[in-house]
Amino acid sequence: MQLPVQSQSTLYAEGWEAEAGPDDLLEIARAADRAGFDYLAGCDHVGIPRRLAAAMSTVWYDPVATLAFLAAATPRVRLLSHVAIVGLRHPLLVAKQYATLDHLSGGRLILGVGAGHVQEEFEALGVDFHRRGVVLDESIDALRAALGPDEFPEHHGKLYDFEGLGQRPRPAQDPVPVWVGGSSPAAVRRAALKGDGWLPQGDPRDRLPAQIARIRELRERAGVQGPFTVGAIAEPLYVGTPRWEVGRRTLTGGPQRLAESLRAYRAMGVHQIQVRFRSRSRDELTDQIAAFGAEVAPEL
């Protein structure tokens, strides 16, 4: 699941999140860890321009700091950046941050990467917004080298060139999985050819089969082999019968009903689903997480 509180876009944030903070994040992370969730995810924005602040809000916790904070409080659950806008930073800086996170967490990092969409962020940091796809493509290659096993990583590209600079600690994992986010044709192609997994951005169910088929076609045509994780973001969920208005798109009902609906993703070729629960308080959310883990997940 994507963590609440750490990003508060009006598209999905609940009212109670506005007053929430570190203690709430800890309790939610611990609840998800106990319930058997596979990963917790955090977003990445450096700054939100005034023109977007009303819709996106300016609450966006730093993903490295947030996931490291939660790593110390959870023994098992994995830690996903969904997604890190890695093109805003030099690959050696990104590698230093995320290698340390993987080391400190005992190998629980999943590095989710994306191109970004807020032009003012790029301009403020001196990065060409209109070349962000090209930058991301090479950034992934550079990060593969910089997050590998070598103490002195080496990469020679058009945008980044480094060697002879030692970085320790090395990641606990070898390799660190890289999942690529986004649903544009360019993002899907990037995921298929450069990633270990794909994180779609809001694709409804009826679009997923064609996107998944495209990824398979691209990988087969390019001769890309190895494991590949296809993701999906499920509709909002509420375990049980809500006694308040949860929205028409929200999937509600008992464990069997929810599981039957969610199993349709597996039939499409999806390997992992990201869920978000409707809630009016932290306690209601942690209750929902516990109920899903105990009653719905075993049916999946």
Side-chain angles (χ1 to χ4, degrees), residues 140-159:
I140 294 173
D141 296 337
L143 283 167
R144 293 280 195 192
L147 290 171
D150 294 338
E151 179 181 354
F152 293 87
E154 183 175 340
H155 172 80
H156 303 288
K158 294 180 179 179
L159 302 173

Side-chain angles (χ1 to χ4, degrees), residues 56-118:
M56 291 181 65
S57 93
T58 58
V59 179
W60 296 84
Y61 288 30
D62 177 78
V64 179
T66 304
L67 295 174
F69 173 65
L70 298 178
T74 55
R76 183 200 56 80
V77 70
R78 303 193 76 187
L79 309 161
L80 167 68
S81 57
H82 188 181
V83 288
I85 309 172
V86 294
L88 291 176
R89 308 160 180 94
H90 193 284
L92 284 177
L93 174 59
V94 176
K96 170 58 74 175
Q97 294 175 308
Y98 282 102
T100 303
L101 173 57
D102 194 61
H103 174 78
L104 291 173
S105 67
R108 289 191 275 153
L109 171 68
I110 306 169
L111 180 59
V113 302
H117 66 94
V118 178

